[in-house]
Amino acid sequence: MTSDHDMLWRRCALLGRVLLPLVDQEPWRQVRRHEALRGRGIDTAAGERMIEIFAALAAHAVALDASLSAAEIDALPLKVVAEVVTNKVDYELLAGLPAPFADDRDGQAVNVFRLYVYKGGQYSHRLLLLGTEVRHALNVLAERRPTPSLTCGDVFHRADGAGLSQRS
């Protein structure tokens, strides 16, 4: 049986996985992001995977701080997740993660994130760029909707409509 904490992480990881495909409904956004990543010497596939896991970590940190259950994450405003990307120190996003991860890809991506955090130097600069991309993607989605407070649940509904939730 899967614990609520594991289900919470899975919902956060799903948010990370569907974030960029939803933002990329305007193809020029992907082109701009790829140029930014390459300009910083970051492989686009690896950079996008790091953006996904960064978004998942931020959502997870907010959910833990607010003592949200997996069922309650749908009500979490994207703007709050975007603020956490800016307001928390990178290593704070690593607190309270499930061990082991149900999805090995998530575990590997978190380990790369962890390595970036602890190596410092150029890796800190990469995390800064990746955090900027995460915050930008979350804000783009939040502002696309006429309602001022897009939630994680709204993103999940959009992902379902676009057939993206099947990837989890």
Side-chain angles (χ1 to χ4, degrees):
M1 188 164 157
T2 306
S3 73
D4 190 60
H5 189 155
D6 289 336
M7 287 302 298
L8 175 64
W9 170 255
R10 287 181 184 179
R11 295 295 283 172
C12 294
L14 177 60
L15 176 68
R17 278 193 290 282
V18 301
L19 178 64
L20 293 180
L22 288 174
V23 167
D24 292 347
Q25 289 177 350
E26 298 166 317
W28 64 268
R29 292 189 184 278
Q30 182 182 52
V31 171
R32 187 208 59 84
R33 184 177 59 253
H34 286 186
E35 287 172 355
L37 290 171
R38 281 192 301 269
R40 295 289 186 163
I42 301 172
D43 174 75
T44 55
E48 289 186 342
R49 180 63 180 130
M50 290 298 293
I51 290 168
E52 291 174 9
I53 208 66
F54 207 141
L57 289 167
H60 189 258
V62 172
L64 288 181
D65 287 350
S67 300
L68 298 178
S69 69
E72 295 169 317
I73 192 131
D74 285 11
L76 183 62
L78 287 184
K79 290 281 191 182
V80 173
V81 178
E83 288 172 11
V84 164
V85 173
T86 305
N87 296 334
K88 280 204 180 265
V89 180
D90 296 330
Y91 64 81
E92 291 178 315
L93 299 177
L94 297 168
L97 294 173
F101 287 92
D103 184 340
D104 288 338
R105 295 176 312 138
D106 289 345
Q108 290 170 351
V110 167
N111 284 338
V112 171
F113 186 93
R114 188 175 282 126
L115 182 64
Y116 276 30
V117 168
Y118 293 112
K119 273 196 133 180
Q122 74 180 25
Y123 295 97
S124 292
H125 292 289
R126 286 184 180 178
L127 282 178
L128 181 63
L129 172 72
L130 294 169
T132 300
E133 292 295 330
V134 171
R135 195 173 47 258
H136 178 72
L138 290 165
N139 285 328
V140 163
L141 284 184
E143 292 167 3
R144 242 186 222 164
R145 186 105 187 232
T147 57
S149 187
L150 188 72
T151 65
C152 292
D154 296 325
V155 171
F156 294 138
H157 292 327
R158 284 186 186 177
D160 286 342
L164 297 171
S165 293
Q166 311 313 319
R167 296 182 184 183
S168 61

